[in-house]
Amino acid sequence: MRVAGIGCRKGVAADDVLAAIDAALVDNGLSRAALDALATVPLKRDEPALLRASGALGLALLVPSQSEIDAAAARAMTRSAASQAVAGTPSVSEVAALAAAGPNARLLAARRIVGRVTCAIAISEDTP
């Protein structure tokens, strides 16, 4: 399973989300076809750009529970004071990807920042 975790500022455009996803995929030698799902944290579950991007890609937007997010937080590669203050997690994109991909997931690389959007790709043999 390959999951693109997404973090963003409020009010970003779906095209911005798609650009961040594409950049993270290219960084990891992958294409959109390699993704099984998108993911974010509960705080961002209703963000219009995330919903539009998941629809454009034909992928589910997974929103792990807060306990799953908390459990994955220790495995994040990066730490953002802003993310910690606003979302209660060190990296929204990394932790969302890890939590959604399952307990044995690993990040392919640290999050990719594109404008006001972050994206991290997690991979796992687990199923959602």
Side-chain angles (χ1 to χ4, degrees), residues 2-32:
R2 289 187 183 108
V3 178
I6 309 295
C8 65
R9 299 281 176 99
K10 186 175 179 143
V12 300
D15 286 343
D16 296 333
V17 174
L18 293 170
I21 292 168
D22 288 339
L25 288 168
V26 167
D27 288 351
N28 291 287
L30 300 171
S31 69
R32 286 181 175 182

Side-chain angles (χ1 to χ4, degrees), residues 9-117:
R9 299 281 176 99
K10 186 175 179 143
V12 300
D15 286 343
D16 296 333
V17 174
L18 293 170
I21 292 168
D22 288 339
L25 288 168
V26 167
D27 288 351
N28 291 287
L30 300 171
S31 69
R32 286 181 175 182
L35 288 178
D36 296 303
L38 303 183
T40 195
V41 296
L43 175 69
K44 295 290 181 179
R45 79 176 339 121
D46 296 320
E47 186 65 39
L50 299 182
L51 298 170
R52 287 187 193 108
S54 69
L57 295 173
L59 297 173
L61 177 62
L62 305 177
V63 183
S65 69
Q66 191 61 50
S67 63
E68 291 169 315
I69 295 291
D70 294 343
R75 295 183 287 144
M77 290 181 162
T78 61
R79 303 279 186 261
S80 163
S83 178
Q84 191 66 54
V86 173
T89 190
S91 170
V92 166
S93 55
E94 292 178 6
V95 172
L98 288 165
N104 297 312
R106 65 178 175 81
L107 292 170
L108 294 180
R111 68 186 177 183
R112 178 66 141 80
I113 302 169
V114 177
R116 300 183 322 147
V117 181

